[in-house]
Every structure is written in C-alpha cells, then in structure tokens.
Amino acid sequence: MHPAFSVILFTVASGIGYGMLMLLALFLPAGLVPTDRLFGAVALGLALAFIGGGLMSSTAHLGRPERAWRAFSQWRSSWLSREGVLAMLSLLAVALLALVWPILAAPVPCIDATVAIAGLLSAATVAATAMIYRSLKPIARWHNGWTVPCYLAISLASGGLWLGFVGAAIGDTDPLPHPVVPVLILVAAIVKALYWRHTDGHKPTTTIGTATGLGALGQVRPLDPPHTAANYIMKEMGFRIARKHAAKLRRIAGGLGVLAPLLLTLAGWVVPPLGPPAALLAAPVATLGVLVERWLFFAEAKHVAMLYYKADAA
Amino acid sequence: MTSLPTPGAVRLGLVIDLDICVGCHACAVNCKEWNTGGIAGPLTDYRPYEAEPDGVWFNRVHSYEVGDGPAGQTVHFPRSCLHCDNAECVTVCPTGASLKRVEDGIVLINEDICIGCKLCSWACPYGAREFDEDVGVMRKCTLCVDRIYDEARPEAERVPACVSTCPASARHFGDLGDPDSDVSRMVAERDGMALMPELGYRPTNRYLPPRAKGGGCSSPAASPALEPVMPEGTGFLGWLDRLLSA
C-alpha cells in the first residue's frame, strides 16, 4: 500500500498523545506521577499538540478536507467514523482535564475521574485507528489479530518516553516509576516482532486463480495489461519501493525505536546526571523509529487487487 | 447510511462470458464515453496526450494466459464493480457517500458528500474503485443507472453501455436475484463463477468460464493436404505453371 505521509504522521503523533493520556490515567490517581500543575500543564499541552497536529495532518490525506465533518455520521458501520467520533470525544476529555488539573487545580477526585475518562477514550481511539486497518480483508498484513495490539503497545511505549521528556524538560526526574518505560518498550518490541512473524508466515488463500476464477483451468499468467501507464489502483495498492529494503528498515526501526531508548534509559539509571539529557534524546529518537515502523506497516502491506496485474503481488 | 440493507429481491448485475470475450476493449471505451457525460462524470483524464496517460475508468480489460502446452489458452477478462451483497466498500465509508441501493442492489457513490478518504478503494478486493485526483472524490461503476431506467430510450437499449456495445455479445445484464431470469439461467447452465468467493463479499456479477476445448490443437503435419482448387495442367494457367516450373 502507498505510505501516505499524512497518515503515517497522524497515526504516530496521535498515538504518542493518546499513549501519554493512557499512562496518566493509570498512574496519576495512584500518585505515581507528579501531580503538580506545571507538570500537568506541560504534559497535557504536549499531548494536545500531538493529538491535534496528528488530526490536522490526517485531513491532508483527504480529497475534500472541507467536508471532513461528514465523517462523524457513520459510526454504526465504519471504523473510520468511530475513530473520528472517539478522537473528538477524547480531545474534549483532554481539554476538560487541562481545565480541572493545571488550570483550576480542582479537588483530587475530580481530576482522577477526568483523567480516567480521558485515558479510556484515548485507548478506545487508538484501538479504533488500528481497527480501520484490522477490518480490511483484502490486506492480509493488516487483517489479523496483531494489528490492534501493535498500535496500543507502541502508543503506550511512545507515550511513556514523551512523559519522560516532559519530566526532564521541566527539571523533574523520571516522572514514571522506574521500570515502566523500559517494560513498555520491550512489550511493544515483542508484540511488533510477533506481528512480523505472523504476517511473514501468512499463506495467502486468495491467488490470481481465485481472483480471476480461472485457477481450475491451470496456471494463470498476466499477458496484456488493460492500460499502458500505471493507474490509481497500481499506484495506491502496488507500492514497492520500501519492500526490497524491508529487512534493513526493520533493523533501523528496531535500533531507533527499541535499542536506543532502552540504552539511553539505562544510561540515565547508571549515571544519574545523564538522566535528563538521555530522556530528552530518547523520546524523539524512538519516535523516528516508530515513523520507520509505520512506514513499513503501509509499504509492506499487499492488496489482493494487485493480483490482477501481477500473479505474485499479494 | 452505510450499514448494508437487507438484500432486496432484485439484484441487478452483469454476467460476462469469458469464452466469448475477444478482448477488444470496446466495453471499457464505451463505458468511459457514456459515463464521462453521465451522472458520474466527468471521468477525469490526466496527461491524456503525453507518454504516460492515466485517468479514471470504471472498466478495465485484462488478458491472461491460462494453462500450458496444448491446453493453454488466452482469456480476456473485463474487470469492473461486481455490486457485492456484502459490499465492505459501503460499510467502511465514514460519511454515507458510499451506498448500496435496496431496490436493485446497485452500489453507488454520492460524490457530493464523498470526502475522498480512499478507504472504500482499500476495502474493495476487486480494484473496482478509482480515485479522481482532480475532483478529490472516489469514482466507480454505476451499472449505468442513468441508462437502464431511462424511459425515453427504447426498452432494448435500457442496458449498461458496456453491454450495449459488446460486439461479441459476451456481456449480459439482468436480475440475478430472479432465478428464472436469462442471466440466472446462463449462470446455472455454465457454472458461473463468483470472483474471490473466499473473502465473503458475495459479488452479484458472475463470470462464465471458458468452455472446454476438445483435444487441444492438432499439428499441421497431421492435417491432410488440401485438394487443389483448380485441376493442374489444363488451359493457359497450366501452360504458364509448367513454363515457370521448368
């Protein structure tokens, strides 16, 4: 599939913002992250910037962005519509959280209830984003049980790293309990590795034989294409550039997204003065890795419609 | 509403005979011609007079080689929207622009509310939807909904443009929901095929497979020599033949 940069940026950026909120919902009521207004203001401001920027980037993918509001109407059947509705609701919840926590410093139960709602809506939004891809039967690399866990795990790990970034930026030490971020990174790495293991081993049931119905008559080979230049289907579904570098790009994604933040976090533990600069570096470096991972998520995905053009295309 | 309706009794669609199709592309060309001026038009062309012309088409004709050796054959394969019963291009649409009609099962796009997110084209395994970069909306086969109900036309002409133009009569239009219709009988007699049945989209359109070709092709050496059309050695031409053969 063609990796549209606007969509890659959207899924990565909103994943970071929602991951930060999921972690705040888990650890703020227990008092395991700083509860002061400065930390709240910077963390929520950054999360809002990631979510808002991501949503704006996603509209750049549309042919008619001025009609984007119409996408809220079909939540009964469409995961894209559900994602839109959930994204708006969670944005509202984050704004409310910003009001009760850093702005008004409301009573603790009020903050706890709001952050719980914001966290739940965030998790639901990330899951809905993943379900858009998970629900597409023509694309085997997406239509499997590992897609949703990957999105959630990567969102949580990136959220943890960026909360660490916020902590370092305002002079706090690691805002999350020590083992949380490395554990989240390892979980994300394992889930993604299992996704790759599953999707690499997938044996397609749909072939050029079932696509044309001619399989029973013998081997089917494309002879003449219907058109001389690449059309929309070939450009959108038949993207091939990254595939030949897939193994190398996976190693780059692993190095930037897993190895580098793990080593930086460990360095901060061993040599405490290195903690803040390491946290400030780890988050953006890991996000570069996630961008490569998301690029591969699209570029490696094959669509069965390409079988009409090339026998081994899906 | 993009939730799919309970399928109605009428399921209009096409039956394409792969035994007869000669791969002339007339159906694709007439489709383009009709629909560029019809309700779904214009069907935009990009760089039409340059080296890499591209554009929106609802119908594309592929050609395949099938089988090997004497059993091998060339099969021409027109590909367009199959107007599926379980049309996931409709259910994924976030705006309601993609729809399946209850009254005849035709899958259409309301391009006035399409936001051009392209998700429907990702959900279609048949590659039947093409995005119009100029207008910013998705486009697809309408089964010539603006022809088939046009009462100003003689009844025989109320068929999709691709069907009306096929010089080999390889394309047939009718109600596949009615088991007694001509198209349904054709499908029953010839074991009409649904494409990619394993994906569960339950397409309406059917393809009739090429008929079995008895015995393969015989080698030229085995054929008996043709009788001379004119007896040799008589008249002026015979004299000329003997003269030139000498």
Side-chain angles (χ1 to χ4, degrees), chain A residues 61 63-64 67 70 74 76-78 137 206 210 213 219 221 223-224 226 229 232 235-237 303 308-309, chain B residues 1-2 53-54 63-65 67-68 79 88 91-92 111-112 114-116 121-122 124 135 193 196 198:
Chain A
H61 174 66
R64 302 298 289 260
R67 297 175 180 170
R70 290 186 181 275
Q74 304 301 309
R76 285 181 193 81
S77 73
S78 164
K137 287 182 199 150
T206 297
T210 66
Q219 199 198 354
R221 298 173 295 271
L223 180 64
D224 283 328
Y232 166 73
K235 290 174 203 160
E236 184 79 1
M237 324 287 178
H303 193 287
Y308 290 108
Y309 291 92
Chain B
M1 185 49 62
T2 52
D54 184 14
S63 295
Y64 297 104
E65 279 180 338
D68 294 288
R79 178 175 58 85
E88 296 198 5
T91 52
V92 300
E111 64 175 72
D112 291 337
C114 173
I115 60 174
S121 69
W122 295 4
C124 173
V135 187
M193 312 176 293
M196 300 190 208
E198 68 278 6

Side-chain angles (χ1 to χ4, degrees), chain A residues 92-306:
Chain A
L92 206 68
V94 181
L96 204 65
L97 181 60
L99 190 72
V100 297
W101 179 15
I103 296 175
L104 296 179
V108 171
C110 176
I111 296 175
D112 288 353
T114 317
V115 78
I117 293 169
L120 275 176
L121 283 169
S122 297
T125 311
V126 174
T129 304
M131 278 306 293
I132 296 172
Y133 305 108
R134 162 80 173 89
S135 65
L136 295 171
K137 287 182 199 150
I139 304 162
R141 284 228 182 233
W142 297 351
H143 187 65
N144 63 74
W146 290 103
T147 300
V148 178
C150 274
Y151 269 76
L152 284 168
I154 292 172
S155 165
L156 280 167
S158 334
L161 282 162
W162 281 97
L163 282 178
F165 178 94
V166 171
I170 61 173
D172 281 343
T173 46
D174 196 349
L176 286 163
H178 252 164
V180 170
V181 170
V183 166
L184 288 175
I185 293 171
L186 280 175
V187 168
I190 291 167
V191 171
K192 188 68 200 187
L194 289 171
Y195 166 92
W196 271 323
R197 205 175 85 115
H198 172 83
T199 52
D200 287 348
H202 172 75
K203 296 272 177 296
T205 44
T206 297
T207 62
I208 190 171
T210 66
T212 58
L214 299 168
L217 300 176
Q219 199 198 354
V220 183
R221 298 173 295 271
L223 180 64
D224 283 328
H227 37 86
T228 50
N231 69 342
Y232 166 73
I233 297 295
M234 299 175 78
K235 290 174 203 160
E236 184 79 1
M237 324 287 178
F239 186 81
R240 303 174 59 81
I241 293 168
R243 280 186 205 158
K244 61 180 177 188
H245 301 303
K248 203 179 283 174
L249 286 167
R250 284 183 189 184
R251 285 196 292 276
I252 292 173
L256 293 174
V258 180
L259 213 57
L262 276 180
L263 289 175
L264 285 166
T265 310
L266 287 178
W269 289 356
V270 177
V271 191
L274 281 181
L280 287 174
L281 193 61
V285 167
T287 299
L288 279 179
V290 176
L291 283 170
V292 175
E293 177 273 333
R294 210 49 54 88
W295 172 280
L296 280 170
F297 178 75
F298 286 91
E300 285 194 293
K302 297 175 175 181
H303 193 287
V304 293
M306 279 307 289

Side-chain angles (χ1 to χ4, degrees), chain B residues 139-150:
Chain B
R139 292 266 158 82
K140 72 174 291 298
C141 159
T142 67
L143 208 60
C144 286
V145 72
D146 49 351
R147 265 181 80 107
I148 59 177
Y149 293 112
D150 182 1

Side-chain angles (χ1 to χ4, degrees), chain B residues 5-80:
Chain B
T6 3
V10 180
R11 296 167 64 240
L12 295 184
L14 300 174
V15 172
I16 297 170
D17 193 337
L18 298 180
D19 194 58
I20 293 180
C21 177
V22 295
C24 70
H25 295 246
C27 55
V29 174
N30 202 34
C31 166
K32 177 88 168 169
E33 171 68 22
W34 172 265
N35 284 298
T36 202
I39 54 154
L43 300 197
T44 311
D45 284 316
Y46 323 117
R47 307 169 301 280
Y49 302 108
E50 293 173 32
E52 299 272 298
D54 184 14
V56 180
W57 293 63
F58 294 164
N59 190 9
R60 305 275 192 179
V61 183
H62 297 255
S63 295
Y64 297 104
E65 279 180 338
V66 186
D68 294 288
Q73 55 185 313
T74 303
V75 178
H76 305 290
F77 184 92
R79 178 175 58 85
S80 58

